[in-house]
Amino acid sequence: MSLSGHAPDATGSVDYRGFHTWYRVTGQLDPGAERAPLVVLHGGPGVPHNYCLAMTDLAGDGRAVVHYDQLGCGNSTHLPEEGADFWTVDLFVAELRNIVDVLGIGGRFHLLGQSWGGMLGPEFMVADGAGVQSLTICDSPASMPLWLEAATTLRARLPPGIQETLNRHEAAGTTDSPEYQAAVNVFYERHVCRVVPFPQDVVDSFAALETDPTVYHTMNGPSEFHVIGTLKDWSIVERLDQITVPTLVVAGAHDEAMPFVWQPFIDRIAGARSHVFPSSSHMPHVEEREDFTAVVGAFLREHD
């Protein structure tokens, strides 16, 4: 199934620390436009922008939508030789500031992050936040311990044979086995994307991840629910009260990001509000595309 977004009006790359960050723009980046541009932060870390292309629908009201591939994946510079000390939250926070400033939108833009992107977005707000009109957090945890608690809960609901396969390969360190990947897909079809077969944009992102899993394996781990990377103890819960921009938190009713995973965003960011898409899991922008565009688009217009 194909579910591609709108064709880009511009693509290019910007220099970042001697490497390059690739971007695409849907619409026109006009500093005087009524609608502030939207910058989309993809997940992973290390799962490139393709699966978020349905969000180009948000350009339908005259707003420019900027997607980019974070360093280490997609069309940006790959650095498979770099270790854990290189792949830090600070690296990606600084990359975001660099790209919005080079594109000339650093003084006024909306920020939307999906999954890991919804962890990076709040980190950016705490570290910097200049120019951000609003923050949208999609399908994201406020801490990885909460994420792992949800993953354990959902994993326990899988068929016993699937659970046995996952446990066996994780214990043996054979998570690259096709049998393990097949078992992982059972979880993914329930809690990551319930549009089966996966749309081409989602397939493209997963294929790119498989080609170079450096960032994902280093910071996350071998799967969505086996988190053994550098982010395993990450939390922003105690810093959320530093975020003061209008904030929308969205998730799917079947999301691997269960409600208690994102509830701290609502509890600790003043005025934050939430919306749950009833037929979606981790990708409401794909699974309930029109409703996602309507809900997020209305929020963005409210805060232009």
Side-chain angles (χ1 to χ4, degrees):
M1 176 181 176
S2 178
L3 196 69
S4 293
H6 301 272
D9 291 277
T11 61
S13 63
V14 303
D15 178 79
Y16 177 55
R17 300 185 180 181
F19 309 118
H20 72 265
T21 302
W22 178 92
Y23 68 87
R24 58 165 278 160
V25 182
T26 307
Q28 302 299 319
L29 289 178
D30 177 3
E34 177 186 2
R35 305 295 184 202
L38 172 68
V39 177
V40 176
L41 306 176
H42 65 68
V47 179
H49 77 284
N50 311 68
Y51 79 97
C52 290
L53 283 174
M55 295 182 191
T56 57
D57 290 354
L58 292 163
D61 61 4
R63 181 187 316 284
V65 176
V66 179
H67 288 79
Y68 72 96
D69 284 334
Q70 296 158 28
L71 195 65
C73 73
N75 298 306
S76 294
T77 302
H78 288 237
L79 297 159
E81 70 281 1
E82 296 291 351
D85 58 340
F86 181 85
W87 302 110
T88 64
V89 171
D90 290 345
L91 174 81
F92 294 109
V93 166
E95 181 185 33
L96 172 55
R97 171 49 64 189
N98 180 69
I99 193 167
V100 295
D101 284 351
V102 172
L103 292 179
I105 60 174
R108 178 176 177 255
F109 64 101
H110 296 283
L111 190 58
L112 181 154
Q114 197 280 332
S115 196
W116 146 254
M119 300 157 63
L120 176 58
E123 286 281 7
F124 180 81
M125 295 308 304
V126 170
D128 180 339
V132 178
Q133 301 290 109
S134 75
L135 174 65
T136 302
I137 299 169
C138 305
D139 322 287
S140 306
S143 81
M144 287 307 276
L146 288 173
W147 176 269
L148 286 169
E149 182 181 346
T152 300
T153 299
L154 296 173
R155 180 168 168 157
R157 299 174 185 173
L158 294 172
I162 298 297
Q163 294 184 52
E164 187 279 328
T165 298
L166 295 172
N167 293 336
R168 175 162 41 85
H169 284 288
E170 288 166 5
T174 52
T175 55
D176 56 350
S177 160
E179 185 184 32
Y180 180 81
Q181 293 305 318
V184 165
N185 284 341
V186 174
F187 181 93
Y188 283 19
E189 290 176 3
R190 290 185 178 197
H191 302 299
V192 177
C193 182
R194 293 167 75 88
V195 179
V196 179
F198 291 161
Q200 190 60 48
D201 293 340
V202 177
V203 171
D204 290 345
S205 282
F206 284 158
L209 171 62
E210 186 175 350
T211 299
D212 184 0
T214 302
V215 184
Y216 187 76
H217 283 181
T218 301
M219 298 183 74
N220 183 83
S223 72
E224 294 291 283
F225 48 78
H226 190 46
V227 179
I228 55 176
T230 56
L231 288 175
K232 68 180 184 301
D233 298 318
W234 174 88
S235 176
I236 199 169
V237 172
E238 299 303 321
R239 295 174 285 148
L240 288 174
D241 58 357
Q242 299 176 46
I243 299 175
T244 58
V245 297
T247 300
L248 173 67
V249 181
V250 305
H254 308 280
D255 207 321
E256 56 184 334
M258 297 176 74
F260 67 82
V261 166
W262 47 261
Q263 187 62 39
F265 293 127
I266 304 301
D267 293 341
R268 300 182 69 99
I269 300 176
R273 59 193 200 233
S274 64
H275 184 93
V276 175
F277 294 93
S279 300
S280 294
S281 59
H282 197 53
M283 298 186 186
H285 61 281
V286 171
E287 297 160 293
E288 295 179 73
R289 181 170 176 169
E290 290 185 5
D291 288 348
F292 178 91
T293 301
V295 169
V296 175
F299 174 74
L300 298 177
R301 289 188 292 274
E302 184 179 341
H303 300 291
D304 277 324

